[in-house]
Amino acid sequence: MIALALPLGLMLAKSLQDATGEWVGAANYVQYFSTPALFQSIGNSLWVATLSTVITVPLAFIYAYALTRSRMTARGLFKTIALIPILVPSLLPALALVYLFGNQG
C-alpha cells in the first residue's frame, strides 16, 4: 500500500504547486480544464474507442462463433491464431532484450 500511495500522494502534492514550488492550490487544474483542446482530445479519444469497439466486437463474435459452431477446415490453426495475443506480452520483453544486447548476449 505504501509503495502505491506514497508516490501518488507526492505527485498530487506537486500538482498543487507552480514551477517554482509555490503553493497555488487548484489553479493548475482550473487552467488545465479551461483549455478547449482538452475537450477536443477527449472527444477524439471517445470517437476512436467507440469506432474500434463497434468494429472489433462483431468481428470477434463472428470469429468465435465460427470456431465453436462450425466444422471448418484448419480449425486448430485458427484457434492457435486466436491465442497469439495471450503469448505476445511475454514475448515482447524477450525480443526487446535480444535487440538491446544483440548477438553478443
Side-chain angles (χ1 to χ4, degrees), residues 64-83:
Y65 190 84
L67 282 178
T68 57
R69 302 286 181 158
S70 71
R71 298 272 181 211
M72 58 194 264
T73 57
R75 196 170 122 202
L77 174 68
F78 287 114
K79 236 180 206 181
T80 304
I81 290 172
L83 292 176

Side-chain angles (χ1 to χ4, degrees), residues 20-55:
T20 62
E22 295 292 322
W23 174 265
V24 292
N28 289 337
Y29 290 103
V30 170
Q31 180 185 2
Y32 178 72
F33 286 112
S34 65
T35 58
L38 172 71
F39 294 107
Q40 184 178 2
S41 66
I42 290 172
N44 289 342
S45 296
L46 290 174
W47 168 248
V48 169
T50 303
L51 185 64
S52 63
T53 301
V54 166
I55 292 171

